[in-house]
Amino acid sequence: MDKYPFTRDLVLIGGGHTHALVLRKWGMNPLAGVRVSVINPGPTAAYSGMLPGFVAGHYSRDDLDIDLVKLARFAGARMINGAVTGIDRTARTVTVPGRPPIGYDVLSIDVGITSQMPALDGFAAYGTPAKPLGAFAQAWDDYRARAKAPKIAVIGGGVAGAELALAMAHALQGKSPKLHLIDRGRALAALGDKARQKMLVALAGYGVEIIENAEVTQVFREGVLLRDGRLIHSDFTTGAAGAKPHDWIAGTELDLQDGFISVTAQLQTSDRAVFAVGDCAHMAASPRPKAGVYAVRQAPVLFDNLRAILSGGRLRDYKPQRDYLKLISLGQKSALAEKFGTVWQGPLLWRLKDRIDAKFMARLDDLPVMPPPQLPKIAAIGLRAALGDKPMCGGCGAKVGRAALQQVLGDAFGDDAGLVQTGQVITTDHLRALVADPVLMTRIAAIHALGDIWAMGATPQAATVQIILPRMESALQQRTMAEITATTTAVMSEAGARIAGGHSALGDELTIGFTITGLVDRPITQAGARAGDALILTKPIGSGTIMAGDMAGQARGADVIACLDLMVQSQAKAAAILHAAHAMTDVTGFGLLGHLRGICDASGTGAVLDWAQVPVMAGAAVLSARGVRSTLFADNQAGAGVVEGAVPDLAYDPQTAGGLLAAVAGHSADDLLGALTRAGYTAAIIGQITDGSAISLR
């Protein structure tokens, strides 16, 4: 819960080194009243300093990647997984395809550069640009695993290209690779004579053939064609020639230098509400080459200046150093260093580089545990125990337990939606936000509420939306409501329901809910399951554990994003496929066993659950083994009753926008599973309905 109302929107485009460090500093010292958003195409950003070591095989992909989801959670920021395609500086909005415009008061851009070669015939189809780093790292990982007789062409004979060629040669040395380093001029021309000679010796030692004064005119699947007619065979062609700004930057109408965003000594652009840092920026006051060391050292200045402009303070200057220590990996665990024309080489320098890189990544991975708010010295009996030892989960993790509801509601506790009249059902569902992004939270809440309609075998008809916004000034209220209403309209229209109104209010935190009606010929209730029926589950479980891990800073960002993607997966097609189910429910707050208990109690049956067949979200089992649990775990354990056999904790994990759990005729289960799989669901047959009343695991 945020203590103060939001009054300003700060949007960070890109997860470059500068922004990553700013997020860390913001989490330790946030500015009251500012809502922070981070936009990046993916949950991670690759650290450039460790890329050669990763390519050579010295580091894993996890070592290479900066986890932006974890940093955003630490900073209290909303993480938006998407690629920016434009900025409207008049409206002060950022465009990300597939969602409403994102409003800002202050904007910072740190998107790096690309080494794509759009003018080179065939490169887009058959070449792999060395930047952006994340996409290159994935492509190299895939190639290295499958390559048998590697043939590689590196276009661009600068330091970056040579460093990559050495790393590739080292990684593939057991496969007798053939590598060519191609430059349209003199290779390694940016280095001094001593450093250049040492690099040439290192390349020759790995058998890398250097082709100078050669222009590539076309890239084929089989290799590259030079202007003099030579064909260089290659099954992995990469481009490391120079730096190119991202195309969308040209449309911002900011002052540019060779396509890069010109910035002042304060890191501001020609628009004083927009900052730019890292390789995408041109430091007009003191031009410097593109190098990560400048991006890292811009972070404290950017942090201070963002706080200053958002609070009415004075901005300070960034003063880049004249030169810096260049540490170049030589394939094996050895490095070359150059500064002010002096050159060193050897394993000790690689160890120095490794130590510097490891220290940088540790700052972004080992985030400090911020102390919780202090309780008053004198408080009511039981307050400390009621607060617990961790924040309350969002989504279904914040619900009241099954056992408590059953005791209070009695016979009224049952099916997912209520029968209003013949042919019409109704449900209502509200969720405490589990992510800071209103757009994503709206999608999750809508799919979650629609799940009750789909579980009854009904077609969504009409919906009202109920919104509680955290306190914020009117301009931010308008931005947020626009995002929520546009998303609501899109999701409900896709589901076939019309919006019939709603209600909004301000409160302590974001809560989104829906009341939805549906039309149905034959309601599918939780009663009706028969002994011999097969149990089908249409989505993996584990969302409660992953989101609890996310809150605790223990979940991998990639696993969090994959979990959220599963939450917003519509169950409309699954419900249509399972229209003949004998009994059905959606697996949400009470966990898999709690909802299975609901079917068994209503149907007067038991069940056998084959745990090995239950699909589990990536990362959930690892977190569960560490003892990570949602705050609703204990209530779900009680609500599921007695279960025979060894029960994994994930069986009690509360799900948000979970899958459908259906009891279907045993003879039709395989055909239904095939149809679900073809429709894009990670579905599985997970057990069987039995006589009696016992639920057991095997």
Side-chain angles (χ1 to χ4, degrees):
M1 180 176 69
D2 293 283
K3 185 177 180 181
Y4 303 103
F6 291 129
T7 63
R8 292 292 182 272
D9 269 321
L10 168 62
V11 175
L12 307 178
I13 300 177
H17 304 353
T18 314
H19 279 177
L21 290 168
V22 165
L23 286 171
R24 185 184 190 276
K25 291 175 72 68
W26 198 278
M28 299 175 68
N29 187 19
L31 181 62
V34 176
R35 179 171 63 176
V36 182
S37 302
V38 188
I39 309 171
N40 194 71
T44 61
Y47 171 48
S48 60
M50 296 177 92
L51 182 68
F54 164 77
V55 172
H58 305 317
Y59 302 121
S60 70
R61 184 64 194 270
D62 283 344
D63 294 329
L64 176 73
D65 284 341
I66 299 169
D67 195 326
L68 296 174
V69 176
K70 184 185 290 188
L71 278 169
R73 174 71 79 171
F74 178 73
R78 63 169 169 170
M79 174 73 193
I80 297 173
N81 183 28
V84 170
T85 57
I87 298 170
D88 184 335
R89 293 194 294 112
T90 302
R92 290 199 173 186
T93 59
V94 178
T95 301
V96 176
R99 60 174 295 138
I102 301 156
Y104 70 87
D105 295 293
V106 174
L107 184 70
S108 182
I109 306 171
D110 184 13
V111 294
I113 55 179
T114 176
S115 52
Q116 293 175 348
M117 301 177 184
L120 179 55
D121 187 18
F123 186 84
Y126 303 112
T128 302
K131 290 186 178 182
L133 300 179
F136 173 81
Q138 185 60 56
W140 171 252
D141 229 3
D142 295 342
Y143 176 77
R144 181 172 55 182
R146 70 173 189 272
K148 294 181 179 178
K151 297 182 290 293
I152 297 172
V154 179
I155 304 172
V159 173
E163 199 173 20
L164 276 180
L166 286 166
M168 292 172 171
H170 180 80
L172 300 170
Q173 57 188 332
K175 299 182 178 181
S176 301
K178 293 182 179 179
L179 278 94
H180 291 86
L181 183 64
I182 307 168
D183 198 272
R184 66 191 309 167
R186 184 171 182 255
L188 298 165
L191 293 178
D193 288 340
K194 290 182 181 179
R196 182 175 185 272
Q197 287 304 315
K198 288 182 179 293
M199 285 292 289
L200 292 174
V201 169
L203 288 162
Y206 274 110
V208 177
E209 182 179 345
I210 300 173
I211 304 176
E212 296 181 310
N213 303 308
E215 184 179 354
V216 177
T217 59
Q218 192 170 4
V219 178
F220 297 92
R221 187 187 302 276
E222 298 81 9
V224 299
L225 181 66
L226 305 184
R227 184 165 295 282
D228 61 13
R230 281 180 291 172
L231 176 64
I232 307 301
H233 292 284
S234 171
D235 56 3
F236 188 85
T237 299
T238 187
K244 178 181 178 295
H246 292 275
D247 292 338
W248 64 266
I249 289 176
T252 63
E253 298 185 357
L254 295 166
D255 287 352
L256 305 178
Q257 175 69 42
D258 298 325
F260 298 97
I261 305 170
S262 292
V263 296
T264 65
Q266 297 81 35
L267 306 177
Q268 285 178 302
T269 69
S270 52
D271 182 336
R272 293 300 178 249
V274 180
F275 293 73
V277 289
D279 287 350
C280 69
H282 168 71
M283 293 181 282
S286 49
R288 292 292 188 274
K290 306 298 180 187
V293 65
Y294 298 117
V296 170
R297 295 184 182 182
Q298 285 172 340
V301 177
L302 178 64
F303 175 75
D304 290 346
N305 287 352
L306 290 175
R307 290 174 60 89
I309 196 171
L310 287 161
S311 61
R314 291 188 61 183
L315 278 64
R316 68 185 181 100
D317 290 353
Y318 167 65
K319 299 175 182 177
Q321 68 272 38
R322 187 162 57 90
D323 198 4
Y324 62 97
L325 180 66
K326 303 173 187 69
L327 286 166
I328 304 168
S329 296
L330 299 177
Q332 58 186 322
K333 292 185 177 181
S334 181
L336 181 145
E338 182 191 43
K339 187 174 184 181
F340 295 125
T342 304
V343 180
W344 306 269
Q345 181 180 342
L348 286 176
L349 290 169
W350 191 90
R351 276 184 244 169
L352 172 63
K353 176 174 169 53
D354 177 59
R355 191 178 303 119
I356 292 170
D357 292 337
K359 182 179 179 181
F360 175 81
M361 291 299 284
R363 291 172 65 192
L364 300 175
D365 190 48
D366 301 330
L367 300 173
V369 178
M370 305 307 291
Q374 292 294 313
L375 292 176
K377 291 183 179 179
I378 301 175
I381 296 170
L383 177 61
R384 296 179 192 278
L387 284 173
D389 58 358
K390 61 181 180 180
M392 181 173 64
C393 292
C396 274
K399 286 194 170 186
V400 177
R402 183 178 189 273
L405 287 174
Q406 194 170 30
Q407 179 131 11
V408 171
L409 297 177
D411 292 341
F413 179 77
D415 285 311
D416 300 283
L419 190 64
V420 179
Q421 58 187 357
T422 301
Q424 187 182 47
V425 294
I426 188 170
T427 186
T428 189
D429 222 318
H430 302 72
L431 295 178
R432 176 178 181 262
L434 47 76
V435 292
D437 179 11
V439 171
L440 181 56
M441 194 59 229
T442 302
R443 287 191 178 279
I444 292 170
I447 295 297
H448 180 82
L450 285 164
D452 289 341
I453 298 297
W454 289 323
M456 295 289 289
T459 300
Q461 178 194 25
T464 61
V465 58
Q466 296 82 43
I467 304 163
I468 299 176
L469 293 181
R471 292 179 298 159
M472 57 183 70
E473 72 167 20
S474 58
L476 271 71
Q477 290 178 30
Q478 183 175 340
R479 287 176 187 167
T480 308
M481 288 296 291
E483 289 184 315
I484 291 174
T485 53
T487 306
T488 296
T489 300
V491 176
M492 289 300 169
S493 296
E494 184 181 346
R498 64 182 179 86
I499 305 298
H503 178 75
S504 62
L506 295 179
D508 286 331
E509 58 189 359
L510 178 64
T511 302
I512 300 177
F514 294 90
T515 299
I516 307 175
T517 60
L519 301 176
V520 62
D521 294 328
R522 180 189 70 87
I524 305 174
T525 67
Q526 293 186 37
R530 309 166 191 172
D533 280 355
L535 288 167
I536 290 181
L537 179 65
T538 64
K539 281 188 186 182
I541 64 170
S543 63
T545 295
I546 289 174
M547 298 314 297
D550 180 38
M551 290 180 64
Q554 296 186 44
R556 292 175 68 249
D559 294 337
V560 174
I561 295 298
C563 169
L564 295 170
D565 287 344
L566 281 166
M567 286 188 201
V568 298
Q569 183 185 31
S570 168
Q571 295 291 283
K573 292 180 181 178
I577 291 168
L578 296 169
H579 70 278
H582 296 155
M584 190 155 65
T585 186
D586 59 335
V587 180
T588 51
F590 306 143
L592 177 58
L593 278 180
H595 287 282
L596 178 57
R597 174 66 70 185
I599 286 178
C600 290
D601 286 353
S603 301
T605 62
V608 174
L609 197 62
D610 187 351
W611 184 255
Q613 301 305 313
V614 176
V616 176
M617 293 182 185
V622 172
L623 289 170
S624 182
R626 291 182 197 159
V628 175
R629 296 172 177 172
S630 169
T631 48
L632 194 58
F633 174 84
D635 291 297
N636 282 353
Q637 198 171 31
V642 177
V643 179
E644 299 173 1
V647 183
D649 287 352
L650 285 172
Y652 300 115
D653 188 47
Q655 305 304 292
T656 302
L660 298 174
L661 177 64
V664 303
H667 63 83
S668 66
D670 288 338
D671 289 341
L672 292 172
L673 180 61
L676 289 165
T677 301
R678 289 190 294 274
Y681 296 100
T682 309
I685 299 170
I686 64 168
Q688 188 176 36
I689 296 294
T690 62
D691 289 321
S693 59
I695 295 178
S696 62
L697 266 73
R698 66 183 180 200

